[in-house]
Amino acid sequence: MSALLHINENRVLQLLDWDKVFHVIEGALESVASNHVIQSARSVIDLKETNFMFVMPGKLRDDNGETLGCKIACHFPGNTTLPPLMANILLMDALTGELQAVIAATGITAWRTAAASAVATKYLHNENNKILAIIGAGAQGRIHAICLSYFFKFKEVRVWNRNRERAVRLVTELSNDSKWKCSFKACETVQSCLSDADVVVTTTGTDVSIVKLDWLKPSAHINAVGVGLDCREIDDEVYKAANVYIDHWDGAKEELKHLIDIGIQFKGQIGDLIRGSIKPPPKNSLTIFQSLGMAVEDCAVARMIYDLHMQNK
């Protein structure tokens, strides 16, 4: 048996690159629609006191061949010195099942989620991107502000958070980075953050509806990241007015039952749009990408990190 490789978080962050991650995530989404993946909805274990662990196994066939992996992640929101999400990916030989590497995946999870939103925005939003609204200034709000600013060159990025001080800290951090040519603004209210925004990211995971239809531009695109059975951050009327797309059918059937129950019919997977097997939404229509995240996204990025690490040891 080969020696087991461990790639730690610092090394992963050295190797992550937005263009490369976008490419492999776009490929993973397309592979889902092409039936070149094996995966299931995530398995969740409730550890009580708001903590939980989830397991996401998957197999992917793409331009790099076959990749087999499993992400194991723990969500401990009470963490103070560590991130609330602690994740690792087990990367196996797709032919033998032999464990090849354990790859730290806290950064991978953040980057692949934001990259999936960027891919969805590319295929769903067809007008000039001037204003980006980020609802929630946590880890996902931060990485989405960085990722979407990198790809779409917004003129203004707005941030709202329940605790405004946290939004101000994020805006200050981004404003102090000289590579960004846009302006950053911390907003007092959700409504002011959403007003005339072209692209919206929701990352709060709250069970209270805070995004209202009347506050949205009719042609806005929403990347709904804070999703799940207990999440209600986007009002039902928004869903009913929008063209809603998903990342994979199996996950949607398990984790988006609350939307199915109110009559929401998903237009298709983002991968279907990439493949051209379904038509894009009407121009200037309200769209939502309901992002659940997939095991094969983790597999694809983990394989990328593994290959880059082996090439640059």
Side-chain angles (χ1 to χ4, degrees), residues 92-237:
M92 281 78 79
D93 186 298
L95 296 178
T96 68
E98 180 184 7
L99 183 61
Q100 293 179 313
V102 177
I103 303 175
T106 300
I108 287 176
T109 301
W111 279 60
R112 63 84 156 152
T113 304
S117 294
V119 173
T121 303
K122 171 185 172 181
Y123 286 93
L124 290 175
H125 196 62
N126 50 24
E127 66 171 54
N128 292 331
N129 296 299
K130 296 180 180 178
I131 300 174
L132 171 65
I134 304 286
I135 307 299
Q140 281 297 336
R142 177 183 180 275
I143 202 68
H144 273 79
I146 293 169
C147 175
L148 295 178
S149 295
Y150 176 84
F151 284 110
F152 300 105
K153 315 302 181 189
F154 293 95
K155 293 183 178 179
E156 181 176 88
V157 177
R158 302 171 184 163
V159 181
W160 175 88
N161 196 72
R162 291 188 197 88
N163 180 343
R164 189 170 186 275
E165 182 180 338
R166 193 170 188 179
V168 170
R169 285 201 302 269
L170 176 56
V171 164
T172 300
E173 174 197 339
L174 296 172
S175 298
N176 288 337
D177 191 332
S178 60
K179 71 172 171 286
W180 304 121
K181 305 305 179 185
C182 59
S183 63
F184 295 92
K185 177 183 178 182
C187 294
E188 295 278 358
T189 65
V190 176
Q191 183 175 1
S192 63
C193 190
L194 295 174
S195 180
D196 291 325
D198 301 291
V199 177
V200 176
V201 179
T202 60
T203 72
T204 65
T206 181
D207 59 359
V208 178
S209 295
I210 57 175
V211 175
K212 306 296 184 181
L213 182 60
D214 290 345
W215 300 346
L216 291 164
K217 191 174 181 177
S219 60
H221 168 65
I222 303 172
N223 293 299
V225 179
V227 300
L229 294 176
D230 297 323
C231 177
R232 297 292 188 275
E233 61 187 352
I234 299 175
D235 193 76
D236 290 351
E237 295 306 310

